[in-house]
């Protein structure tokens, strides 16, 4: 009996191990033959926020994914056999504190991080300008990156816009997506290619209530009511021309605040009306769990990614959903919105600058962006992202939005925006959702006065 | 660490021998063995405390921790900031309810478990009620965000809907959200508090109960006049630890309400205010100043609670 049990367990173990072990014969270079590029020597310490190092399985699609270690073995280590890489993976949770510690203690040369963190580190003097390295490297072409994020983003450029400290590697996806089926059920005209806030609000209002065909509760609109960076608010400020402030992040104390301008009043009036339309849980970013899927009951989602629809397509080849959920441009006058950019940056005191530059260039380059897109659906930052599949209309739309993107002072790189403005707006939204919106002018006057007081407190 | 043996080499002063300290080889060995711990405390506890105090008088920008000296400006700014006071008020509200209900429920629960005659059942309930304590705060928050889903699809709202009650905005209604947080934290902390009370209950001498029974005391009177007074040190301990924990509330409110402490700022706590300024706006000077204000508040509360307990002692 004992023998039989042991035998069965051995079989189970063998089959489980065989089933779980990933194959390593997958091509990561897309057929490109990798050859040695340079004999350059050096050791580079790379700190990556959130990158997966080992091979594994995509939790959503069930498809196998290739970890960075294998990718580097098959590419960079062949191209630069004498550059030793020490790669540290840091989870996104509290990544700023951890990478800050690495920068202060001189334990990292090249970092991949959030754009706002990079911007703050640059202002703290912890990052190195890359202009000299770019200038003397003829093999590096800055023109391959999207203009708007390479040259006009706080995540890659100094606050005065004169120095380049980061190379954009991954783009955040934020676009307006609508459900064609719900529009048809309600007999509402589809959204235009660049719908402004008024068009969105008007159509969303028509589709809130009992669906005339299915009888289910429908919600006209959704956005995250507790967004850390208030991206929907940023898009609205662009749409209504409410700048909120004038000046530069290089001299935060001199920023002139215009938070109680008539344009800003319009932004808040829009938010007040719109807050009645989403599911109640939106104030805590809940309620849109089914958006992009079969059981969806939300007509328009702002700052959406299309991630769940694409995952369904990748795992089940479900083209029906792909046709149903249509992306359009964001709410700005040219279709722009807030664009998140995660760059690669170099530590001020990088030990081996030349080798670090080669690593940084490689990890933010075309081949790595292709690898990241194919394995982790990361949105590229390239003008010509030829590897994006024809079906992936969400990434294409995100690239269109990024191409017209620009950073303003209502941005997460602005300390008062992050500490006070975004939370205050989120608070306003939740009050409006519960039908207790404060008087808008008074609310904005208070915010303006807080901003002025904050600036006055700076030395 | 040690003195010379009495009389050997010591001067007699006013009839009492004056103790003369001299390090012996044993003393040095003692210090050597204690050094890792002492260095650890100095580097990781004492130094950061003083560095934070120093930083609170500076205006810092990002990681430039040696910013411009601004004296008490950071303290003045925080004390004049309405959001700080709102955060403090929310913290007090949630802390108060968490401590009061937490102690009351866990004491009642511990008493019930302690009175079980069946030993296996007692261990079973101890384990069951302790289980939530091993679940991380993040997992608990995620679980409750689904249990407390604001529409009728949420489990709790579905159940109350069976009794004809309209869905409640557990985490979306500013009037309800702080109490939902209290309920959630009760679930998480009940087991730990119960185990502490249970240990205390089992240490009450049996002869006190026997003497009370001889005098004709019933179960309720024994509980009221023997159990509760005997457990007073444990109550004080729970009160102090609960107050400190309540004043430091962060993870759950941050995960539910984001940086705004949504809904309507009702979940904004002092530590969330500190976090916002320290890690989102990189204003370490302001954040450390508020940390010291919080430290002072907790210190005052703790001293008051201890004084209250001492005064009670003297009455006894």
């Amino acid at each position: 009996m004992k023998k039989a049990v042991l035998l069965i367990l051995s079989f189970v173990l063998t089959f489980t191990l065989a089933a779980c072990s990933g194959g390593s014969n997958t091509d990561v270079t897309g057929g490109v033959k990798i050859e040695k590029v340079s004999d350059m020597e050096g050791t580079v310490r790379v700190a990556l926020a959130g990158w997966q190092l080992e091979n594994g399985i995509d939790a959503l699609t069930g498809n196998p994914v290739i970890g960075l270690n294998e990718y580097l073995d098959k590419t960079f280590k062949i191209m630069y056999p004498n550059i030793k890489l020490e790669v540290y993976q840091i989870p996104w949770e509290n990544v700023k504190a951890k990478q800050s510690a690495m920068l202060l203690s001189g334990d990292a040369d090249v970092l991949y991080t959030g754009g706002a963190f990079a911007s703050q580190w640059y202002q703290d003097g912890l990052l190195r300008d890359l202009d000299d390295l770019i200038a003397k490297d003829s093999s590096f072409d800055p023109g391959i990156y999207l203009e708007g994020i390479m040259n006009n983003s706080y995540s890659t450029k100094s606050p005065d816009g004169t120095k380049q400290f980061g190379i954009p590697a991954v783009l955040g996806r934020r676009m307006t997506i609508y459900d064609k089926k719900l529009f048809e059920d309600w007999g509402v005209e589809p959204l235009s290619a660049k719908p402004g806030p008024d068009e969105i609000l008007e159509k969303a209002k028509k589709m809130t209530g009992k669906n005339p065909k299915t009888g289910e509760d429908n919600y006209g609109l959704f956005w995250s009511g507790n967004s850390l960076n208030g991206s929907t608010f940023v898009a609205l400020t662009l749409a209504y021309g409410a700048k909120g402030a004038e000046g530069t992040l290089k001299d935060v104390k001199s920023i002139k605040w215009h938070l109680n301008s008539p344009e800003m009043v319009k932004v808040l009036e829009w938010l007040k009306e719109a807050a009645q339309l989403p599911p109640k849980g939106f104030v805590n970013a809940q309620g849109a769990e089914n958006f992009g899927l079969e059981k969806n009951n939300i007509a328009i989602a702002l700052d959406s990614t299309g991630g769940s629809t694409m995952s369904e397509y990748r795992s089940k080849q479900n083209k029906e959903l792909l046709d149903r959920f249509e992306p359009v441009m964001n709410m700005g006058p040219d279709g722009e919105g807030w664009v998140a950019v995660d760059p690669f940056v170099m530590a001020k005191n990088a030990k081996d600058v030349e080798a670090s530059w080669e690593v940084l260039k490689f990890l933010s380059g075309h081949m790595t962006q292709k690898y990241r897109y194919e394995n982790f659906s990361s949105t590229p930052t390239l003008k010509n992202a030829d590897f994006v599949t024809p079906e992936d209309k969400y990434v294409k739309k995100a690239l269109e939005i990024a191409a017209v993107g620009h950073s303003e002072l209502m941005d997460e790189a602005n300390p008062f925006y992050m500490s006070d403005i975004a939370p205050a707006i989120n608070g306003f939204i939740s009050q409006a959702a519960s039908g207790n919106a404060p008087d808008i002018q008074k609310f904005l006057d208070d915010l303006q006065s807080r901003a002025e007081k904050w600036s006055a407190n700076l030395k | 660490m040690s003195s010379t043996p009495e009389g050997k080499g010591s001067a007699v002063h006013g009839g009492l021998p004056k103790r003369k300290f001299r390090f012996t080889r044993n003393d040095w060995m003692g210090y050597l063995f204690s050094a890792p711990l002492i260095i650890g405390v100095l580097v990781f506890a004492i130094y950061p405390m003083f560095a934070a105090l120093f930083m609170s008088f500076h205006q810092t920008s990002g990681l430039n921790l040696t910013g411009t000296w601004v004296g008490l400006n950071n303290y003045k700014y925080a004390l004049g900031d309405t959001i700080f006071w709102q955060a403090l008020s929310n913290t007090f509200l949630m802390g108060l309810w968490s401590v009061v209900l937490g102690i009351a429920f866990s004491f009642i629960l511990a008493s019930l478990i302690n009175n079980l005659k069946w030993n296996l059942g007692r261990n079973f309930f101890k384990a069951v009620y302790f289980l939530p304590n091993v679940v991380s705060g993040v997992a608990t928050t995620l679980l409750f965000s689904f249990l407390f889903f604001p529409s009728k699809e949420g489990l709790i709202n579905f159940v109350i809907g069976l009794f004809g009650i309209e869905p409640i905005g557990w985490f979306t209604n500013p009037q309800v959200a702080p109490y939902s947080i209290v309920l959630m934290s009760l679930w998480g902390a009940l087991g730990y508090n119960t185990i502490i009370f249970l240990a205390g209950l089992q240490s009450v001498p049996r002869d006190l109960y026997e003497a009370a029974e001889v005098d004709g005391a019933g179960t309720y009177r024994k509980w009221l006049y023997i159990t509760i007074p005997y457990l007073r040190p444990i109550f004080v301990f729970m009160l102090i630890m609960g107050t400190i924990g309540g004043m430091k509330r962060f993870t759950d409110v941050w995960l539910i309400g984001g940086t705004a402490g949504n809904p309507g700022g009702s979940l904004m706590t002092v530590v969330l205010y500190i976090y916002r300024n320290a890690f989102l706006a990189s204003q370490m000077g302001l954040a450390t100043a508020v940390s010291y204000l919080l430290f002072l508040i907790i210190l005052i509360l703790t001293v008051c609670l201890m004084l209250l307990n001492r005064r009670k002692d003297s009455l006894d």
Side-chain angles (χ1 to χ4, degrees), chain A residues 361-377:
Chain A
K361 198 172 66 171
F362 176 78
L363 289 174
S364 53
H366 183 279
M367 189 189 288
T368 307
Q369 294 212 17
K370 179 173 181 284
Y371 151 74
R372 291 283 302 169
Y373 172 75
E374 287 171 350
N375 287 277
F376 303 101
S377 307

Side-chain angles (χ1 to χ4, degrees), chain A residues 226 284, chain B residues 137-139 141-142 250-258:
Chain A
N226 70 354
N284 296 325
Chain B
V138 176
T141 309
L142 280 175
F250 171 70
T251 311
D252 44 11
V253 288
W254 181 63
L255 286 168
I256 295 288

Side-chain angles (χ1 to χ4, degrees), chain A residues 95-120:
Chain A
V95 74
K96 189 185 174 194
K98 288 167 187 162
Q99 288 191 324
S100 299
M102 293 183 95
L103 278 170
L104 285 169
S105 59
D107 283 331
D109 301 312
V110 172
L111 299 97
Y112 167 80
T113 191
F117 309 152
S119 171
Q120 284 174 2

Side-chain angles (χ1 to χ4, degrees), chain A residues 96 100 120-121 124 126 217 225 228 280-281 283-284 286 415 418-419 423 426-427 430 450 453-454 457-459, chain B residues 59 61-63 70 73 77 80-81 83 145 149-150 152 171-172 256 259-260 262-264 276 279-283:
Chain A
K96 189 185 174 194
S100 299
Q120 284 174 2
W121 289 332
D124 297 340
L126 291 167
D217 283 333
L228 185 66
K280 280 187 177 174
V283 297
N284 296 325
Q286 285 186 302
M418 282 302 270
S419 71
N426 286 340
S430 77
R450 284 174 55 75
K453 202 174 144 200
W454 181 84
N457 194 47
L458 301 174
K459 290 262 173 175
Chain B
Q59 181 203 304
S61 162
L63 296 173
V70 291
N73 262 21
Y77 179 82
D81 188 356
I83 293 181
S145 66
F149 199 77
K152 60 180 185 294
F171 287 139
T172 56
I256 295 288
T259 52
N262 266 357
R276 242 162 69 160
F279 298 107
L280 298 180
S282 295
Q283 298 181 106

Side-chain angles (χ1 to χ4, degrees), chain A residues 95-267:
Chain A
V95 74
K96 189 185 174 194
K98 288 167 187 162
Q99 288 191 324
S100 299
M102 293 183 95
L103 278 170
L104 285 169
S105 59
D107 283 331
D109 301 312
V110 172
L111 299 97
Y112 167 80
T113 191
F117 309 152
S119 171
Q120 284 174 2
W121 289 332
Y122 181 77
Q123 289 171 64
D124 297 340
L126 291 167
L127 301 182
R128 188 191 192 285
D129 290 329
L130 302 175
D131 299 289
D132 57 329
L133 297 165
I134 293 172
K136 69 180 179 189
D137 187 346
S138 57
S139 70
F140 180 77
D141 178 11
I144 65 168
Y145 297 95
L146 288 161
E147 189 77 17
I149 54 171
M150 181 71 175
N151 297 324
N152 197 4
S153 168
Y154 286 129
S155 308
T156 53
K157 282 273 188 182
S158 59
D160 59 6
T162 58
K163 308 272 187 204
Q164 189 87 38
F165 67 82
I167 304 295
V170 174
L171 197 68
R173 272 184 278 177
R174 283 177 178 81
M175 68 202 90
T176 304
I177 299 180
Y178 68 96
D179 182 343
K180 277 188 194 167
K181 181 184 169 292
L182 293 192
F183 272 68
E184 282 165 18
D185 287 353
W186 287 87
V188 175
E189 273 286 296
L191 287 179
S192 61
K194 284 182 196 170
D198 295 334
E199 180 189 341
I200 287 172
L201 190 60
E202 183 207 328
K203 289 181 175 167
K205 276 182 190 170
K206 289 180 185 166
M207 292 177 283
T208 301
K210 291 262 181 234
N211 185 306
K213 281 198 177 165
T214 62
E216 287 174 352
D217 283 333
N218 281 176
Y219 302 93
L221 194 59
F222 183 87
W223 78 96
S224 172
N226 70 354
S227 161
L228 185 66
N229 43 50
S231 52
T232 302
F233 169 71
V234 175
L236 285 166
T237 60
L238 295 170
Y240 285 111
K243 283 198 165 291
E246 269 181 286
T248 163
L249 288 180
K250 200 178 179 189
D251 184 12
V252 182
K253 188 178 163 54
S254 305
I255 288 178
K256 296 270 176 278
W257 299 99
H258 304 297
L259 293 167
N260 52 355
S261 65
E263 293 80 14
M264 199 60 88
V265 172
K266 282 185 192 165
V267 170

Side-chain angles (χ1 to χ4, degrees), chain B residues 31 33 40 60 65 95 122 143 146 154 162 171 193 203 212 226 268-269 276 285 293 305:
Chain B
Y31 277 116
F33 282 115
T60 59
L65 303 180
R122 196 185 297 172
L143 174 71
F146 288 107
L162 298 176
F171 287 139
N193 294 350
S203 70
I226 298 173
M268 181 76 196
T269 62
R276 242 162 69 160
L293 289 174
L305 288 171

Side-chain angles (χ1 to χ4, degrees), chain B residues 56-120:
Chain B
S56 73
F57 298 115
H58 288 76
Q59 181 203 304
T60 59
S61 162
L63 296 173
N64 176 17
L65 303 180
T66 51
T68 321
W69 175 267
V70 291
L72 291 172
N73 262 21
N74 288 326
Y75 290 90
K76 281 183 198 161
Y77 179 82
L79 291 172
D81 188 356
T82 48
I83 293 181
F84 169 74
W85 290 106
Q86 185 197 2
L88 193 60
S89 152
N90 292 338
T91 311
F92 272 130
L93 178 76
M94 286 186 270
L96 182 74
W97 281 106
S98 298
V99 170
V100 171
L101 294 179
I103 290 177
F105 282 137
S106 51
F107 179 58
I108 292 168
L109 202 62
S111 300
L112 290 173
I113 293 173
N114 192 45
N115 283 328
L116 277 177
K117 303 288 179 217
W118 187 34
N119 203 28
L120 197 66

Side-chain angles (χ1 to χ4, degrees), chain B residues 105-187:
Chain B
F105 282 137
S106 51
F107 179 58
I108 292 168
L109 202 62
S111 300
L112 290 173
I113 293 173
N114 192 45
N115 283 328
L116 277 177
K117 303 288 179 217
W118 187 34
N119 203 28
L120 197 66
R122 196 185 297 172
N123 289 337
F124 171 76
F125 283 111
K126 269 199 280 187
V128 164
Y129 284 107
F130 193 73
L131 268 181
N133 200 59
V134 298
V135 180
S136 77
V138 176
T140 304
T141 309
L142 280 175
L143 174 71
F144 273 79
S145 66
F146 288 107
L147 286 177
F148 283 161
F149 199 77
S151 62
K152 60 180 185 294
E153 287 84 14
L155 187 68
I156 308 280
N157 277 339
F158 174 77
V159 172
I160 63 170
L162 298 176
F163 300 97
I165 302 170
E166 284 293 303
I168 296 171
W170 297 99
F171 287 139
T172 56
N173 183 339
Q175 272 78 48
V176 180
Y179 302 100
S180 305
I181 291 284
V182 170
L183 278 179
M184 187 171 78
S185 61
L186 275 184
W187 182 82

